[in-house]
Amino acid sequence: MRPFSPLLILALGLTLMACDKGPEDRLLGYVEGDYVYMALPEAGRLTEIAVKRGDHVDAGAQLFALDATAAQARLDKAKADLKEAESKLADLKLGERPEELAIIQAQLESARASLMLSEPRVKRRRELVKDNVVGIEDLDAAEASILEDRGRIAEYTARLAAANLPDRTDRIAAQEAAVSAFRAAIIEAQWSVDERKAIAPAAGSIEDVYFRLGEEVGAEQAVLQLLPPANIKLKLYVPEPLIGTYRVGEKLAVSCDGCPAGLTARIDFIASKAEYTPPVIYSDTSRAKLVFLVEARPDPTAPADFQWHPGQPVEARKAAAGS
């Protein structure tokens, strides 16, 4: 039998070393999703579910809605209260109405006319008193009538002047405060109406729906589960002797069963504490050894029809330089 050449032995040795190294530079892990649990701040009856499990939704799409009858009624009442308060404030700033001004003006004219009659009457009574035709009492009554007319003229003149002025400053300030309070009530009521509908904060897939149409939902109780693509991450485990060779921002080449070639991810978290290999990670070389958790975010370069699935096992290695 011809002996092996030294070069062939060296080549075989290097090949075996490379095969042994393979598992050491391979990181095992799985896909995980940071789910968004869609809930509303107030309780209510579910009146609309616009999606089902497995649907893809765009950002801003309506997901579900609760009964808004009571909230809409509060909003309508707040709007009516504001309209009434604004009308009262405008009335206070304008003063009396034209019809009320006309009444005061008529009363003033009546007092002036009465005075015009009372003054000649007093003169006649004085002549009659001199001639002893009437008593002094009649003269006193005529003079009292003049004083009464002059008093009425002064009163209606003052009332007319006051009626043409705005209302008192303190009453106007109080009404302005009431208007501000009703405007705030409208904002609160409008918020309550708006919060009866759940809107998708980002595009993503509906992973689960927990309620059916017509059921009662508690305040802040999740109705469905949304998973945006940006919330996908890879949880990988690095053996303790190799943890010092990995850096945040480092690029990894990722592979998984049935996945397209060329998938990559970047490390965005490295745990500061070691742990034992999770039971879900099956590896003869790393089982029961200390490892460090590393999280990586997939690069958005995957094919459009490719989708990561939470729980899916993955493998990762350091990406080759220049890849």
Side-chain angles (χ1 to χ4, degrees):
M1 182 176 181
R2 186 178 179 181
F4 291 106
S5 67
L7 292 177
L8 181 58
I9 293 175
L10 179 59
L12 289 173
L14 292 175
T15 303
L16 291 175
M17 289 176 62
C19 293
D20 291 340
K21 185 181 178 182
E24 295 299 328
D25 68 348
R26 178 184 61 174
L27 304 183
L28 301 179
Y30 56 92
V31 179
E32 186 173 83
D34 291 329
Y35 297 102
V36 179
Y37 295 90
M38 298 300 302
L40 293 176
E42 297 181 354
R45 180 172 54 86
L46 196 59
T47 58
E48 181 183 357
I49 302 179
V51 295
K52 63 181 184 300
R53 186 166 62 176
D55 283 352
H56 180 84
V57 296
D58 296 326
Q62 182 172 318
L63 304 177
F64 62 89
L66 302 180
D67 181 34
T69 303
Q72 185 62 51
R74 289 194 295 270
L75 176 60
D76 294 341
K77 182 180 183 302
K79 289 181 177 179
D81 290 341
L82 175 61
K83 186 175 180 180
E84 180 181 354
E86 289 177 336
S87 177
K88 186 174 181 180
L89 177 60
D91 185 63
L92 289 176
K93 289 182 177 180
L94 289 175
E96 300 290 347
R97 296 181 179 87
E99 294 81 0
E100 294 172 337
L101 292 175
I103 293 174
I104 299 175
Q105 183 67 44
Q107 290 172 331
L108 176 60
E109 297 299 330
S110 175
R112 287 173 177 170
S114 179
L115 179 62
M116 292 176 64
L117 295 176
S118 297
E119 289 176 342
R121 184 182 302 116
V122 169
K123 291 180 180 181
R124 290 195 297 270
R125 289 292 186 276
R126 286 173 181 170
E127 295 297 329
L128 293 175
V129 167
K130 290 179 181 180
D131 296 337
N132 294 320
V133 175
V134 296
I136 191 68
E137 294 82 4
D138 289 341
L139 177 59
D140 292 340
E143 290 178 345
S145 179
I146 290 179
L147 295 176
E148 182 181 354
D149 291 338
R150 288 174 178 172
R152 289 171 57 201
I153 290 173
E155 176 189 352
Y156 293 137
T157 301
R159 287 181 58 185
L160 188 62
N164 282 291
L165 296 175
D167 213 313
R168 294 192 315 179
T169 305
D170 55 346
R171 292 186 60 188
I172 292 177
Q175 192 60 30
E176 287 175 341
V179 169
S180 298
F182 286 127
R183 286 174 179 166
I186 286 180
I187 294 175
E188 181 181 2
Q190 184 65 62
W191 175 86
S192 182
V193 170
D194 295 340
E195 287 300 313
R196 308 301 285 179
K197 297 179 181 179
I199 305 299
S205 59
I206 305 299
E207 296 295 309
D208 206 352
V209 178
Y210 307 125
F211 285 86
R212 295 182 178 88
L213 197 66
E215 291 183 329
E216 288 290 331
V217 180
E220 300 181 358
Q221 189 173 11
V223 173
L224 55 83
Q225 191 182 59
L226 175 69
L227 180 60
N231 289 19
I232 291 289
K233 62 184 178 183
L234 309 180
K235 300 190 73 170
L236 306 167
Y237 295 90
V238 180
E240 185 271 335
L242 302 179
I243 188 61
T245 65
Y246 289 88
R247 300 288 183 271
V248 172
E250 189 172 2
K251 189 175 183 179
L252 303 175
V254 182
S255 61
C256 54
D257 294 337
C259 297
L263 297 178
T264 57
R266 290 190 181 273
I267 298 175
D268 69 349
F269 171 77
I270 298 177
S272 59
K273 294 182 180 180
E275 58 184 281
Y276 286 102
T277 307
V280 73
I281 306 299
Y282 297 101
S283 170
D284 293 335
T285 59
S286 62
R287 183 179 301 151
K289 291 184 179 180
L290 286 177
V291 293
F292 283 80
L293 170 65
V294 169
E295 293 183 355
R297 297 286 176 175
D299 290 329
T301 56
D305 58 347
F306 173 72
Q307 182 179 357
W308 296 99
H309 299 282
Q312 179 182 14
V314 295
E315 297 181 7
R317 288 183 173 85
K318 289 190 176 185
S323 63

